[in-house]
Amino acid sequence: MVSILKMNFEEKRKRLVESLKDRGILTKLEVIRAMLIVPRHKFVPKDAESSAYMDSPLSIGLGQTISAPHMNAMMCEYLELSEGEKVLEIGTGSGYHAALCAELVAPENSQNPGHVFTIERHEGLVKNARDSLKKTGNMNKVTVIHGDGTLGYPKEAPYDKILVTAASPSKIPVPLRDQLKEGGILCIPAGSKSFAQNLYIIKKHGENFDSKKITGVRFVPLIGKYGFES
Ligand code: SAM
């Protein structure tokens, strides 16, 4: 058996994916494929590269984090992403989760590629995420927008799927509900500002929203007009 210290990034990525499969977190073939392809180490600061394939959140500067891989996997599975879909992400952070979504909605050689729109409030992170997405060949599938994601992105609405990767107050931002397509899915952590939150999957049916609580989570707060105050 190869020691983890001697493994290259690809081997470490495979090992992480196997462990997420063993834990029952990764089940869908397409999500497994995306997690095997997207190089998480290219989305973290240089000094954190060696930790990129541990299942833990990592600091990306400005007090923000890239979520733990099991959380990315779980959200991608619950969103039921498929080729051709239009996705809105609130909280670009490193750009890694947007790249995973892009791999699912616009796989290589797709005849019907979808697109990911992702919004980040910190300009410095927008720049870093764009650089990482460019380096990993994702810039034609992902549009990174600088702004307050609690307002959504009406210009491209409605969206098949919306994911929020920062914790919302219990009252889900109204613009996000409005910008979801009929039959669409919203995946959002909500609760208190200080890390006591639950992950919800919300499905839109006409005027109704079916909401299901998935599990307890810890996310940085969603700051903005329909989020928490900074
Ligand atoms: N999805 C990210 C990734 O793959 O690296 C991780 C996101 S990090 C846990 C949460 C991000 O949400 C932070 O970068 C934070 O600045 C951002 N954020 C918080 N409130 C926001 C808002 N109203 N609009 C856009 N981004 C916001």
Side-chain angles (χ1 to χ4, degrees):
M1 213 204 307
V2 189
S3 145
I4 177 105
L5 293 173
K6 291 192 178 152
M7 284 181 179
N8 62 31
F9 287 126
E10 199 179 331
E11 288 165 335
K12 287 185 184 174
R13 190 155 67 245
K14 275 190 191 149
R15 184 176 172 274
L16 169 69
V17 167
E18 285 308 314
S19 87
L20 295 175
K21 279 163 67 181
D22 291 347
R23 286 160 62 197
I25 291 166
L26 266 178
T27 63
K28 294 196 166 94
L29 279 182
E30 305 75 33
V31 183
I32 293 170
R33 198 189 127 273
M35 295 225 30
L36 282 172
I37 290 176
V38 181
R40 189 172 187 254
H41 66 279
K42 295 205 173 149
F43 290 86
V44 300
K46 205 82 190 137
D47 62 359
E49 264 188 355
S50 60
S51 308
Y53 297 104
M54 284 161 48
D55 188 18
S56 57
L58 294 169
S59 169
I60 53 171
L62 295 162
Q64 305 303 320
T65 53
I66 175 172
S67 303
H70 73 267
M71 192 48 62
N72 302 125
M74 202 186 270
M75 291 175 93
C76 284
E77 293 242 342
Y78 279 112
L79 279 165
E80 299 170 24
L81 296 165
S82 55
E83 192 171 340
E85 289 185 330
K86 194 192 268 191
V87 177
L88 176 66
E89 180 192 39
I90 314 303
T92 312
S94 66
Y96 172 70
H97 206 150
L100 279 181
C101 293
E103 201 51 60
L104 286 154
V105 301
E108 205 179 344
N109 300 324
S110 170
Q111 299 300 305
N112 174 33
H115 198 85
V116 179
F117 296 87
T118 179
I119 311 181
E120 171 56 52
R121 64 187 282 267
H122 286 296
E123 204 164 4
L125 296 182
V126 168
K127 187 191 167 302
N128 293 348
R130 282 191 185 133
D131 286 349
S132 302
L133 288 162
K134 201 177 285 174
K135 274 189 213 142
T136 54
N138 281 293
M139 267 320 261
N140 57 339
K141 307 174 188 177
V142 181
T143 303
V144 185
I145 300 133
H146 177 223
D148 175 5
T150 69
L151 304 172
Y153 192 54
K155 198 174 150 197
E156 291 289 339
Y159 300 92
D160 297 290
K161 308 285 163 65
I162 300 180
L163 71 152
V164 182
T165 62
S168 156
S170 301
K171 184 168 169 27
I172 307 299
V174 173
L176 301 185
R177 289 171 174 255
D178 290 348
Q179 291 170 34
L180 192 61
K181 221 178 235 180
E182 167 65 27
I185 302 179
L186 166 65
C187 180
I188 184 166
S192 84
K193 193 176 178 183
S194 55
F195 295 110
Q197 307 128 5
N198 286 298
L199 185 67
Y200 293 89
I201 294 296
I202 299 172
K203 293 190 181 174
K204 184 171 184 172
H205 300 293
E207 294 298 299
N208 298 320
F209 292 87
D210 295 340
S211 174
K212 189 173 165 199
K213 191 197 282 185
I214 305 297
T215 183
V217 289
R218 285 164 63 93
F219 277 85
V220 294
L222 180 69
I223 308 287
K225 184 170 178 199
Y226 294 91
F228 292 105
E229 281 178 21
S230 58

